[in-house]
Amino acid sequence: MDLFKTLFGLKAAEVRRTCVVMPFIVKGVLEDFGIKRLTRGRLYGAGNSSFCTVLHTRMGPAFTGDAVLYLDATPCRNIVLFGTCGLLSSAGGLKIGTLVSPSRCYAQESFTGLLTGAPSPRIPVFPDPRFRQSLLSAAGRGVVKDAVGLSVGSLKLQEGKKDGWLSQGIRVVDLECAAFFAAAARIGRKAAALLVITDLVEEKPFYADLEKNQLSLSIRQASHIICEFIKEKRNV
């Protein structure tokens, strides 16, 4: 059995040098990458363009982390996480629609730990610094902001915790980034993340009526940045 093809719908040898990992797919983004549709495996979707492979992993640290670990058996050497995050505080110039690339990320992914009050994590995981800086440079000065991230195991249980997290210097929260960085480091691949801020925790939560047009523009801006970055840096 070809395990990779079973899971992803694509043979391992067909994976490009650079992969873009997306926990969910927004309408129109695949076309930005030159992909008409994804093939489906048991767990994931995958598609090749002329310059990268796009993987649809579904939301959550386990799905995303496992997908990255499976890339160990492929020609992939560079991985970009393209996702979304929530903002803990609008102070400091960040807002809904801002593009951020975490320079480090903490993990509090256990639902049970959040529920029972486990201590906040103190050891971060990191992207590849040179690969990330190359992505920021490709976007243009100031287009993508730095932010310290925290990956959490529950959207519901993040409520009421933002003050403590802000005191640790954490600015944004998501579900996958820490697992993504940790898995990429485990298999020795260069990794960086580009996230779109889509909500303001507690004040404008993910289920509220948000500025969909602005978010759509930000997401498409992020996809264009990633596409151009990969095309320019194919041999990074």
Side-chain angles (χ1 to χ4, degrees):
M1 180 180 68
D2 185 332
L3 176 60
F4 194 89
K5 186 174 182 181
T6 297
L7 296 178
F8 290 85
L10 187 72
K11 291 182 179 180
E14 296 173 337
V15 174
R16 304 286 194 232
R17 182 178 178 84
T18 299
C19 288
V20 179
V21 169
M22 297 186 197
F24 62 93
I25 303 292
V26 175
K27 185 178 179 180
V29 166
L30 283 180
E31 288 83 351
D32 293 341
F33 287 88
I35 297 173
K36 292 184 178 180
R37 64 182 180 87
L38 301 179
T39 57
R40 301 302 311 183
R42 291 281 182 87
L43 289 181
Y44 305 109
N48 275 341
S49 72
S50 61
F51 56 92
C52 72
T53 296
V54 170
L55 302 178
H56 175 213
T57 62
R58 297 192 282 183
M59 295 173 67
F63 283 122
T64 298
D66 280 352
V68 173
L69 293 179
Y70 283 120
L71 289 174
D72 195 26
T74 75
C76 174
R77 293 296 176 268
N78 311 306
I79 319 172
V80 178
L81 174 66
F82 179 15
T84 62
C85 61
L87 181 64
L88 294 179
S89 171
S90 57
L94 300 182
K95 61 183 181 179
I96 292 175
T98 299
L99 308 185
V100 299
S101 181
S103 53
R104 66 184 186 273
C105 190
Y106 296 86
Q108 199 158 16
E109 298 156 335
S110 169
F111 182 95
T112 305
L114 284 169
L115 196 61
T116 57
S120 296
R122 299 187 181 279
I123 301 176
V125 288
F126 300 91
D128 180 277
R130 295 181 65 180
F131 187 62
R132 175 180 176 272
Q133 186 56 52
S134 185
L135 173 62
L136 297 182
S137 297
R141 186 172 182 177
V143 174
V144 179
K145 308 298 184 182
D146 185 17
V148 177
L150 174 70
S151 294
V152 297
S154 168
L155 295 174
K156 167 63 176 172
L157 295 175
Q158 68 184 358
E159 297 172 4
K161 298 181 182 294
K162 70 175 187 178
D163 289 342
W165 291 340
L166 283 167
S167 70
Q168 294 180 256
I170 293 164
R171 298 298 308 281
V172 297
V173 291
D174 84 318
L175 300 177
E176 300 89 11
C177 199
F180 171 78
F181 288 159
R186 173 59 63 92
I187 64 171
R189 299 316 197 259
K190 297 175 182 177
L194 184 57
L195 309 178
V196 180
I197 296 175
T198 54
D199 59 276
L200 182 57
V201 175
E202 296 182 3
E203 296 180 42
K204 294 182 179 180
F206 67 94
Y207 50 80
D209 292 329
L210 302 172
E211 289 290 335
K212 294 183 178 180
N213 289 337
Q214 178 57 50
L215 287 177
S216 179
L217 289 173
S218 295
I219 290 169
R220 297 300 290 274
Q221 180 188 19
S223 70
H224 292 154
I225 289 170
I226 293 171
C227 287
E228 293 307 309
F229 165 66
I230 296 171
K231 291 174 183 178
E232 293 175 4
K233 306 293 183 181
R234 292 191 191 190
N235 297 316
V236 171

